[in-house]
Amino acid sequence: MPSVLPPGDPMPADGSLPEAVRADLASRTDRPFGLYVHIPFCQVRCGYCDFNTYTAEDLGPGASRQSYPDTLIRELEFAAETLQAAGAPQRQLDTVFFGGGTPTLLPAEELARILAAARELFGLTPGAEVTTEANPDTMTEASAGVLAEAGFTRVSLGMQSAVPHVLATLDRTHNPENVPAAHQTLRSAGLQTSLDLIYGTPGESLGDWEHSLRSVLQLRPDHVSAYSLIVEEGTALSAQIRRGVLEDIDADDQADKYLLADELLTAAGYAWYEVSNFSTGEETRSRHNLHYWQDTDWWGAGPGAHSHLAGMRWWNVKHPAAYAQRLHAGASPGHGREILDDDAKVLEHLMLRLRIAEGLEIAEYNALPQLGPSAAEPISDRLIAELVKEGLLEEEAAQPSAAHPAGRAVLTLQGRLLADAVTRRLLG
Ligand SMILES: C[S@@+](CC[C@H](N)C(=O)[O-])C[C@H]1O[C@@H](n2cnc3c(N)ncnc32)[C@H](O)[C@@H]1O
Ligand code: SF4
């Protein structure tokens, strides 16, 4: 979740949903519904990180580490009331994702209490996926047990690298030896595991990256996320690069590292299902993240959190104190919102779908309203053929079949390296 909020229309104080959204909600009962819960606390701010998170323990009334869970539960109640007032048919939560920040800086009992409130207010579907992010240092046997008992099903550990000098450049405070221990603790508690890695850190050699990948493979997590390091504006990392203290990111080096990740992960039985995400099978994919990429509905609770319901996006005020103050005054914590027009929907649909292994239904896309009179050529046979010829789209997937009458646009390995460029080409 980026920490800079987009422009948009102001959110009404009561957070009520516009008529168009209410009408659409009634027809979306078959769409999965997810909940994102933002925990805006970290022990240390990593130099590369732009997420909406704070190291202070107390950020104001209702926004200290102790009082924040109650504020968050207040938003969940507010969400249930808002949906009810809009006449939305009740939908149980198919996924819940606690992200941050570092959710596990709160006691596991508090995370369990927040989950229990969500369950009581919305219900969870049978087999719902419930994830929390965690730093390796914040996971103990007792806390893993509490999470599993409360209904959490997976934990995503921020490992980033197995190499001490790379971790130091990233300002990570955990000892690499804590990762196997934390991973084993999660396994013993019966939780699914995911490990986050970052590649392309200044000073990281290809050998360093290979070592990190092989360390991950020794642990055999259910899921691996491999992110290229992004230099976010305004971070300590960006200042270090600007001052010449650290080398800049090298796109070719990052491409080589993505290729190595794909090679080693694939050989070890992992398959990509989104450009940066690999899993051991369909049942170990992150269903919650797939919701984002597949344009389903989710409520994002917490400061700066983004939500999406029936073509409307909104985002909460960013600072935890302002967030708490609004909720405790009985107002919506929403800051701004926008109703996506047809052009924005097409653009978003195309960008998100192309990033996942299922790819983009060409028939479905061609049926969508196009991008305005002066804009792009729609996806045409000619353009698809060109991209296939250039090795950026899978030839077989692009063929029409009974299940996919106009074929699908699925990125090849080379295409995944150039996903943004392929998207731009498809937009004309
Ligand atoms: C918000 S963090 C939450 C997890 C936990 N706080 C941690 O860092 O271990 C989620 C993941 O985003 C990734 N991430 C954050 N900032 C990034 C950046 N600038 N470039 C690439 N990946 C980033 C990291 O891999 C991190 O594990
Ligand atoms: S621990 Fe995670 S959320 Fe916190 S600053 Fe580091 S990367 Fe960002």
Side-chain angles (χ1 to χ4, degrees), residues 97-99 101-104 130-136 138-139 147 152-160 172 183 186 191-197 221 223-225 227 277 286 289:
F97 192 101
F98 286 64
T102 306
T104 45
V130 184
T131 307
T132 183
E133 291 179 336
N135 277 21
T138 54
M139 200 36 74
L147 293 177
F152 282 80
T153 59
R154 61 196 286 281
V155 172
S156 171
L157 284 178
M159 169 176 172
Q160 322 307 353
R172 299 296 296 199
H183 189 263
L186 296 172
L191 291 157
Q192 280 193 15
T193 56
S194 177
L195 296 178
D196 281 355
L197 287 174
H223 183 281
V224 179
S225 301
Y227 300 115
N277 288 278
S286 164
N289 283 336

Side-chain angles (χ1 to χ4, degrees), residues 117-395:
R119 184 186 274 116
E120 198 177 312
L121 289 161
F122 300 100
L124 294 186
T125 59
E129 174 191 282
V130 184
T131 307
T132 183
E133 291 179 336
N135 277 21
D137 285 344
T138 54
M139 200 36 74
T140 65
E141 221 171 280
S143 62
V146 170
L147 293 177
E149 181 68 23
F152 282 80
T153 59
R154 61 196 286 281
V155 172
S156 171
L157 284 178
M159 169 176 172
Q160 322 307 353
S161 169
V163 179
H165 78 86
V166 176
L167 288 170
T169 304
L170 292 173
D171 290 336
R172 299 296 296 199
T173 51
H174 69 262
N175 178 338
E177 281 153 28
N178 290 350
V179 175
H183 189 263
Q184 186 50 46
T185 302
L186 296 172
R187 276 263 185 269
S188 306
L191 291 157
Q192 280 193 15
T193 56
S194 177
L195 296 178
D196 281 355
L197 287 174
I198 288 182
Y199 59 89
T201 300
E204 180 191 56
S205 67
L206 198 59
D208 290 335
W209 175 234
E210 180 168 351
H211 176 67
S212 293
L213 286 165
R214 292 200 186 279
S215 306
V216 164
L217 293 176
Q218 265 181 5
L219 301 177
R220 281 217 66 79
D222 301 294
H223 183 281
V224 179
S225 301
Y227 300 115
S228 60
L229 180 65
I230 310 282
V231 181
E232 304 283 2
E233 204 44 46
T235 57
L237 175 70
S238 124
Q240 284 171 308
I241 291 176
R242 213 176 35 247
R243 290 200 310 269
V245 178
L246 292 175
E247 305 152 25
D248 204 347
I249 303 297
D250 177 341
D252 290 339
D253 170 69
Q254 288 197 326
D256 288 344
K257 287 174 178 164
Y258 184 80
L259 293 175
L260 184 63
D262 184 77
E263 182 188 326
L264 296 186
L265 288 165
T266 306
Y270 292 79
W272 79 284
Y273 68 96
E274 192 274 346
V275 172
S276 307
N277 288 278
F278 299 76
S279 73
T280 51
E282 273 196 36
E283 65 297 341
T284 48
R285 293 173 173 183
S286 164
R287 245 162 45 212
H288 185 82
N289 283 336
L290 277 168
H291 283 351
Y292 296 148
W293 300 316
Q294 291 174 333
D295 175 36
T296 49
D297 290 340
W298 73 90
W299 191 289
H306 289 232
S307 302
H308 175 265
L309 271 188
M312 180 171 99
R313 252 198 309 240
W314 74 91
W315 44 93
N316 285 346
V317 285
K318 192 177 156 190
H319 197 275
Y323 167 79
Q325 194 260 329
R326 293 238 194 146
L327 277 164
H328 292 297
S332 162
H335 177 67
R337 71 183 188 186
E338 63 183 349
I339 296 187
L340 301 178
D341 61 19
D342 288 342
D343 289 359
K345 277 186 195 159
V346 171
L347 185 71
E348 199 162 284
H349 185 82
L350 191 141
M351 286 191 317
L352 296 176
R353 280 288 171 154
L354 251 194
R355 291 186 68 84
I356 59 178
E358 272 71 22
L360 174 70
E361 283 291 344
I362 297 169
E364 185 189 30
Y365 178 75
N366 282 338
L368 290 169
Q370 293 308 310
L371 299 171
S374 63
E377 168 185 11
I379 292 187
S380 66
D381 292 350
R382 186 189 56 74
L383 184 54
I384 294 289
E386 232 173 74
L387 291 165
V388 166
K389 198 158 156 230
E390 290 169 38
L392 299 172
L393 290 182
E394 296 281 0
E395 185 167 9

Side-chain angles (χ1 to χ4, degrees), residues 12-31:
D14 66 0
S16 56
L17 302 175
E19 193 43 53
V21 173
R22 291 174 185 228
D24 271 10
L25 272 177
S27 64
R28 289 170 79 95
T29 46
D30 58 338
R31 297 234 190 174

